[in-house]
Amino acid sequence: MAADPSVPPTGSRPGAEVSLHLLGGFQLLHGDTPVVVPRGLQRVIALIGLRPGATRCQLAGLLWPDAAEERALSSLRTALWRLRQDPCCPLTVSADTVRLDPAVRLDVDELVGTAGRVRDGDDARNATGALAAGRHDLLPGWYDDWVLLERERLRQLRLHMLEQVAGQHLAAGRHGEALQAALEAMAAEPLRETPHRLVVRIHLAEGNAFEAVHAFYVYRDLLRRELRLEPSAAMCALLDETLAPIRRATRDGGGARRSPGHPGRATGGPPRPASPTRRNV
């Protein structure tokens, strides 16, 4: 493990900040200089960063799940010895625990911290970087069980954070910011209903009935095409409320021509949203 010789040495000055990036891929930086870390040692550093309270036995079992306990512990001791020979080592070892040095900045911690501030009710405008935080998946291309578990946990954490940010902006009447956060959540998980529902609510709050109806049908068609499902009753209710005045006006006017076999529907009015009844995939 050493600083990348292809990078000018200005970033590897003594006392430079050490940062560990796991979102979007593994990268260890000493100042501005990337530190070259073999793949096997990357796994050790990444796991220790994600499981700061884990014991040596727990770390060894996760890193070498198919090996006998003593052999896994021996492999961990060897890996830690190799890491500690390098002055850029980001770890501290004490008794039975190994963790990142407190001075090391971890991007996962920044995502968790931002989500915590939003969850605790901090004004969405003060949650700097909430939209960009965690935009990239944890360690893409890694398929260890512990990576998959942490990746999904962080993905769900970010989705709920974005939805809460959108809801806070919507409640405060900041419709542009609300729409931006909802669309960010939608991009992260296109089939998730909650951000689509938020988009409909935002358009309704702005008085843009056409945009609300359009957003509903875009989602309904996507859901039918990908999963052969219908939007939930709550999603359909949003559209029912939007179209109710139009239907009442059509009925009260009495001039609308009724379609054969559907005495309650005028042919000239907007279509009623599909039933939320779900079909088996």
Side-chain angles (χ1 to χ4, degrees):
M1 189 173 80
D4 190 340
S6 66
V7 179
T10 55
S12 57
R13 58 193 179 279
E17 180 185 61
V18 177
S19 57
L20 176 60
H21 301 266
L22 302 180
L23 301 173
F26 183 97
Q27 188 176 41
L28 181 65
L29 297 177
H30 186 247
D32 299 323
T33 305
V35 178
V36 179
V37 183
R39 179 61 180 265
L41 298 183
Q42 287 181 18
R43 294 174 67 248
V44 177
I45 295 173
L47 178 58
I48 291 171
L50 293 170
R51 301 288 181 90
T55 65
R56 289 180 181 240
C57 285
Q58 291 169 333
L59 294 172
L62 289 169
L63 290 167
W64 294 278
D66 297 327
E69 181 177 352
E70 189 54 43
R71 183 172 180 178
L73 285 169
S74 176
S75 298
L76 178 62
R77 284 193 296 270
T78 301
L80 292 176
W81 181 85
R82 291 176 60 192
L83 286 168
R84 296 179 72 188
Q85 303 312 300
D86 195 285
C88 296
C89 177
L91 306 178
T92 60
V93 179
S94 59
D96 192 39
T97 61
V98 186
R99 61 182 66 239
L100 289 181
D101 188 287
V104 176
R105 184 172 62 86
L106 178 62
D107 58 355
V108 171
D109 289 343
E110 295 174 1
L111 168 60
V112 173
T114 301
R117 290 191 296 274
V118 171
R119 183 184 62 247
D120 293 341
D122 191 12
D123 191 316
R125 291 174 296 183
N126 297 330
T128 306
L131 268 62
R135 185 171 285 166
H136 302 291
D137 281 341
L138 176 75
L139 297 170
W142 292 31
Y143 299 104
D144 305 76
D145 289 342
W146 54 271
V147 174
L148 297 176
L149 180 63
E150 288 296 315
R151 184 183 298 155
E152 180 61 17
R153 181 182 72 85
L154 294 174
R155 191 181 75 89
Q156 290 294 331
L157 181 71
R158 180 172 186 260
L159 285 170
H160 284 89
M161 175 186 68
L162 291 170
E163 290 164 2
Q164 188 165 352
V165 168
Q168 289 180 4
H169 282 312
L170 176 58
R174 297 187 293 267
H175 299 132
E177 293 92 333
L179 186 60
Q180 187 179 5
L183 291 175
E184 187 77 29
M186 188 186 301
E189 182 46 81
L191 292 173
R192 184 179 173 91
E193 181 174 300
T194 312
H196 289 271
R197 198 185 308 165
L198 278 164
V199 168
V200 172
R201 289 176 55 202
I202 293 164
H203 287 315
L204 291 176
E206 291 184 296
N208 294 325
F210 169 78
E211 294 283 2
V213 173
H214 176 71
F216 173 88
Y217 281 109
V218 166
Y219 176 63
R220 188 201 66 174
D221 292 345
L222 174 66
L223 203 59
R224 284 179 171 180
R225 183 174 63 253
E226 297 296 330
L227 299 177
R228 299 178 62 194
L229 296 174
E230 296 288 342
S232 71
M235 183 74 161
C236 294
L238 290 176
L239 196 63
D240 279 338
E241 294 172 6
T242 305
L243 296 180
I246 301 174
R247 295 194 184 99
R248 284 197 299 269
T250 302
R251 289 196 302 268
D252 295 344
R257 178 168 54 87
R258 307 294 178 179
S259 60
H262 296 277
R265 180 183 300 173
T267 56
R272 184 178 181 85
S275 166
T277 302
R278 298 180 181 272
R279 294 178 291 178
N280 294 327
V281 177

